[in-house]
């Protein structure tokens, strides 16, 4: 198990601090340091590599008993890149050369640098990656590589990129491979192009949907291709160590406006396919997101890795900075809950950014776990305890895997492309999706994020929520039908299947193949003229908040009307289909919950999941509210582990589950306190009682057989 901290982003910290810092890092409970290996710093003159600082740091780390992860920052290009390759400039959507500059927080090279679709740029980058991999593949304390940091490539481009001849040629080759002929492309796109050279990407959002959506898909594919290139370059020289990478935020949160197109940094599922493991950055206090959102972010990466290694690749160490301002200090108890939020969901590494406070640009004076925000002493004291706990139970945590969820939420990238092609951001698609995930998180219902190109997981689920699914690709519809026929439940929102993957609108009825086969249609969009929708399900009433529009529903089959609009039109229905069940609501209810959480939405989802036997076995009961308690459970060898955090007041809880869940055990062991807790029967439920202190984490184990 890795408990690490980022140490070196050249040339910071200065050499005079190294020995003392590394000793303090080891004594603080950490077992690993991460080093940024910036191409622009290491190869100051083409063909001349300088590794003296890395050689010394790695050697000193070994002396101190610290392992090393090398993060290859190949996206920070050498200052000479455009001088050596004059035609390597990226070109923006207005036809202008993108002038590279030093990055705001990393001043040792150029960004965005040369376009990696230029073969000479690619050749030189490959040489850098192979050279550093060959140099350090054999060092004793190397754990592995982080081959692409936050999948950055267009940072500081000052416009949409890339429209250079190399990228345009690759885009057209990609189209040729997908469509086989210009005639096929014209038929699909409803165009009359006469030459491939005339086919050009969309320029700006809404100009137009089709060319823009296809270009966005291409950029996602291109990121996957580039990840494979980085992986294979390092793997060619290092046959042994793990090679990972990480995103700045999960791709389900790729809601960008500005000059980064949605999913242009890649789709986490396809990126993880190229690697041994994958992770993400998380800065909760800087980003102002709570522990539930942190949980969603980590679950998104766990879902994307699909059984491969998952890392929390960057976690906020100290108070954030963004220019001449001050942000919240990071308290130890909160930071410890972040750590165990990650390990409990299956992470095998937690790496903090960073040890010392930063010194460069807008991030200067911030982020140091040992930094000057007034909380360093308590953070390090707590980290020592965590380091000892990880060391003591290393094998137990290393083999731990969370239980498989029974609930899924569909992530269809095409819906993000459609939203971005229209509005220049993917907030409608993304926030509706995040609303469902956040609700499940708050209800402590384990879930899987089901990416539409990786549907094998679907058949292990009981229910699939499908937020903002305006696009349902035919190949996805086939799997959804099989899922329903075999007894699964799906939950759909307004105008499902109303657009093609090329951005063409489908009229209600037969054109919408998926919903037509379900026997459900709608009567068109209506302005929302009511603040709430009264839903009746299982003799319970739920008041839901609509968004977007209302679409009155029509069903060809026998159905149950769960809600009507103020004009008495059916707006929410359910019906059986095969052995399964379909729910359809004619509006979007995820986004309002994401913007302002409320109980009725949570309780509705809970009731739907309960109805199809999708609830977890384990429950946490208390006289007080339990929504501040987060838990994860799974198996490690002969043991079951239960991770629990409490971000609220102290409370007494009873944790119960089925007889089988407890195996033959008569007691539970608290790994944090070594306390033995008896398993008992309470109100015909089997479990154990525990007083959970405010702001703590707990880890329990018992033999599962």
């Amino acid at each position: 198990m890795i408990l690490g901290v980022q140490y070196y982003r050249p040339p910071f910290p200065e050499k005079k601090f190294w020995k003392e810092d590394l000793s303090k890092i080891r004594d603080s409970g950490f077992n690993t340091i991460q080093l940024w290996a910036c191409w622009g710093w290491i190869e100051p003159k083409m063909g001349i590599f300088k590794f003296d600082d890395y050689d010394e740091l790695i050697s000193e780390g070994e002396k101190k008993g610290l392992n090393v992860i090398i993060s290859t920052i190949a996206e920070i290009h050498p200052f000479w890149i455009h001088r050596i390759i004059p035609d390597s400039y990226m070109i923006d959507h207005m036809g202008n050369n993108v002038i590279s500059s030093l990055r705001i927080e990393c001043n040792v090279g150029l960004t965005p640098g040369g376009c990696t679709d230029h073969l000479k740029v690619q050749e030189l980058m490959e040489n850098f990656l192979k050279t550093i991999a060959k140099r350090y593949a054999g060092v004793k304390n190397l754990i592995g590589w982080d081959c692409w940091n936050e999948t950055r490539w267009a940072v500081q481009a000052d416009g949409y990129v890339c429209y250079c001849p190399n990228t345009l040629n690759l885009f057209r080759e990609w189209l040729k491979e997908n469509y086989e002929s210009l005639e096929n492309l014209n038929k699909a796109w409803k165009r009359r192009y006469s030459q491939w050279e005339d086919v050009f990407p969309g320029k700006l959002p809404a100009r137009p949907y089709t060319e823009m959506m296809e270009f966005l898909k291409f950029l996602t594919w291109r990121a996957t291709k580039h990840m494979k290139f980085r992986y294979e370059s390092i793997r060619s020289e290092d046959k042994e160590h793990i090679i990972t990478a990480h995103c700045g935020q999960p791709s389900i949160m790729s809601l960008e406006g500005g000059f980064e197109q949605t999913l242009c940094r890649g789709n986490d599922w396809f990126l993880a396919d190229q690697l041994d493991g994958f992770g993400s950055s998380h800065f909760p206090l800087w980003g102002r997101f709570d522990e539930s959102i942190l949980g969603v972010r980590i679950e998104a990466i766990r879902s994307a890795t699909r059984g491969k290694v998952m890392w929390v690749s960057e976690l906020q160490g100290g108070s954030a900075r963004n220019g001449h301002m001050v942000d919240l200090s990071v308290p130890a108890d909160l930071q410890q809950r972040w750590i165990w939020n990650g390990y409990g969901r299956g992470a095998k590494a937690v790496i903090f950014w960073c040890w010392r406070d930063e010194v460069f640009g807008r991030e200067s004076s911030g982020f140091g776990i040992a930094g000057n925000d007034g909380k360093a002493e308590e953070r390090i004291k707590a980290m020592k305890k965590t380091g000892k706990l990880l060391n003591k139970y290393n094998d137990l945590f290393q083999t731990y895997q969370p239980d498989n969820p029974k609930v899924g939420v569909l992530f269809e990238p095409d819906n993000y492309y459609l939203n971005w092609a229209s509005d220049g951001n993917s907030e409608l698609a993304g926030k509706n999706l995040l609303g469902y995930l956040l609700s499940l998180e708050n209800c402590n219902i384990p879930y899987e994020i089901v990416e539409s190109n990786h549907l094998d997981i679907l058949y292990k689920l009981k229910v699939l929520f499908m937020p903002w699914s305006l696009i349902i690709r035919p190949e996805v519809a086939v799997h959804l039908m099989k899922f329903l026929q075999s007894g699964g439940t799906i939950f759909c929102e307004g105008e499902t299947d109303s657009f093609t993957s090329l951005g063409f609108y489908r009229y209600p009825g037969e054109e919408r193949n998926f919903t037509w086969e379900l026997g459900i249609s709608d009567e068109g969009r209506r302005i929302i003229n009511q603040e709430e929708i009264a839903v009746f399900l299982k003799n319970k009433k739920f008041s839901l908040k609509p968004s977007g529009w209302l679409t009155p529903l029509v069903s060809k089959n026998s159905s149950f009307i769960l809600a009507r609009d103020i004009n008495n039109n059916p707006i929410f229905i359910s019906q059986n289909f095969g052995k399964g069940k379909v729910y359809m609501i004619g509006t979007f209810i995820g986004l309002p919950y994401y913007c302002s959480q409320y109980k009725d939405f949570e309780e509705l989802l809970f009731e739907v999941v309960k109805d199809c036997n999708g609830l977890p076995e384990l429950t946490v009961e208390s006289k007080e509210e339990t929504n501040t308690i987060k838990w994860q459970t799974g198996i490690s060898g002969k043991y079951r582990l239960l991770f629990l955090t409490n971000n609220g007041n102290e409370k007494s809880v009873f944790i119960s589950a089925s007889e089988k869940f407890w195996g033959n055990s008569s007691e539970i062991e608290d790994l944090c306190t070594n306390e033995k807790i008896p398993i008992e029967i309470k109100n015909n439920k089997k479990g154990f009682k525990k007083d959970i202190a405010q702001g703590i984490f707990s880890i329990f184990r018992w033999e599962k057989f």
Side-chain angles (χ1 to χ4, degrees), residues 118-136:
H118 192 296
L119 293 180
K120 185 63 176 177
V121 173
Q122 198 175 112
E123 176 189 324
L124 293 171
M125 183 182 287
E126 180 182 23
N127 186 46
F128 161 68
L129 292 169
K130 286 185 173 181
T131 299
I132 192 170
K134 184 175 182 179
R135 187 176 189 90
Y136 295 120

Side-chain angles (χ1 to χ4, degrees), residues 126-314:
E126 180 182 23
N127 186 46
F128 161 68
L129 292 169
K130 286 185 173 181
T131 299
I132 192 170
K134 184 175 182 179
R135 187 176 189 90
Y136 295 120
V139 302
K140 293 180 181 178
N141 57 330
L142 179 71
I143 284 183
W145 305 85
D146 185 275
C147 72
W148 195 0
N149 175 75
E150 295 188 347
T151 58
R152 298 181 181 209
W153 65 276
V155 175
Q156 295 179 194
D158 305 322
Y160 296 124
V161 288
C162 180
Y163 293 78
C164 77
N166 301 290
T167 301
L168 292 180
N169 287 338
L170 186 62
F171 174 56
R172 289 165 186 144
E173 289 301 317
W174 177 79
L175 291 173
K176 289 175 185 177
E177 184 174 338
N178 287 340
Y179 289 98
E180 297 181 345
S181 70
L182 190 59
E183 180 183 6
N184 289 342
L185 180 139
N186 278 329
K187 183 177 179 181
W189 287 20
K190 307 183 190 304
R191 306 287 191 261
R192 288 182 175 176
Y193 289 116
S194 61
Q195 297 289 335
W196 280 107
E197 289 73 20
D198 297 335
V199 181
F200 202 79
K203 178 182 177 182
L204 289 167
R207 297 172 57 181
Y209 279 15
T210 301
E211 276 79 351
M212 182 56 76
M213 289 177 69
E214 288 289 79
F215 190 55
L216 297 176
K217 293 173 198 174
F218 161 76
L219 291 178
T220 304
W221 170 85
R222 178 178 179 263
T224 305
K225 178 175 177 286
H226 186 68
M227 183 68 82
K228 183 178 181 181
F229 159 77
R230 290 198 183 207
Y231 177 88
E232 290 180 346
S233 297
I234 294 174
R235 180 58 74 214
S236 68
E237 301 296 335
D238 186 344
K239 310 295 185 184
E240 177 183 350
H241 296 99
I242 187 172
I243 302 174
T244 72
H246 73 279
C247 54
Q249 60 183 3
S251 54
I252 62 167
M253 294 178 167
S254 182
L255 314 182
E256 287 85 359
F259 285 128
E260 283 203 40
Q261 306 96 323
T262 191
L263 298 173
C264 73
R265 295 195 190 191
N267 177 331
D268 297 340
W269 280 258
F270 284 110
L271 296 176
D273 286 344
Q274 315 307 315
L275 299 160
D276 303 323
F278 194 63
S280 181
S281 298
H282 309 281
F283 290 80
L285 292 189
W286 192 16
R288 295 295 192 271
F289 55 83
D290 63 15
E291 289 166 76
S292 292
I293 289 290
L294 176 61
V296 169
R297 292 170 66 101
I298 298 172
E299 289 294 345
I301 301 303
R302 183 200 59 76
S303 295
T305 54
R306 303 172 74 238
K308 291 186 176 182
V309 172
M310 186 262 284
W311 285 4
V312 175
S313 301
E314 288 185 32

Side-chain angles (χ1 to χ4, degrees), residues 495 505 508 512 521-526 549-552:
E495 279 210 311
Y505 183 71
R512 299 181 188 175
S521 185
D522 67 66
E523 297 184 332
R525 302 177 188 178
R526 308 287 187 267
W549 54 74
L550 298 177
T551 51

Side-chain angles (χ1 to χ4, degrees), residues 283 285-286 288 315-321 325-335 338 352-358 363-381 383:
F283 290 80
L285 292 189
W286 192 16
R288 295 295 192 271
L315 188 59
Q316 186 172 347
S319 176
R321 297 291 184 268
M325 49 77 75
V326 62
D327 209 336
L328 298 169
S329 297
V330 179
D333 59 345
L334 177 60
Q335 192 171 71
W338 294 344
F352 284 92
W353 189 280
C354 52
W355 177 250
R356 281 183 170 270
D357 279 337
E358 296 274 14
E363 294 188 0
S364 58
S365 86
F367 297 100
I369 202 164
N372 293 315
D373 67 350
K375 300 287 186 179
E377 185 176 347
E378 68 175 62
R379 285 195 298 263
I380 290 171
K381 182 179 179 181
M383 205 67 68

Side-chain angles (χ1 to χ4, degrees), residues 10 43 106 202 240-241 274 289 291 380 486 601 643-644 650 682:
E43 193 179 2
C106 183
E240 177 183 350
H241 296 99
Q274 315 307 315
F289 55 83
E291 289 166 76
I380 290 171
S486 62
F601 183 79
F643 297 80
L644 186 148
E650 180 178 354
K682 179 182 177 182

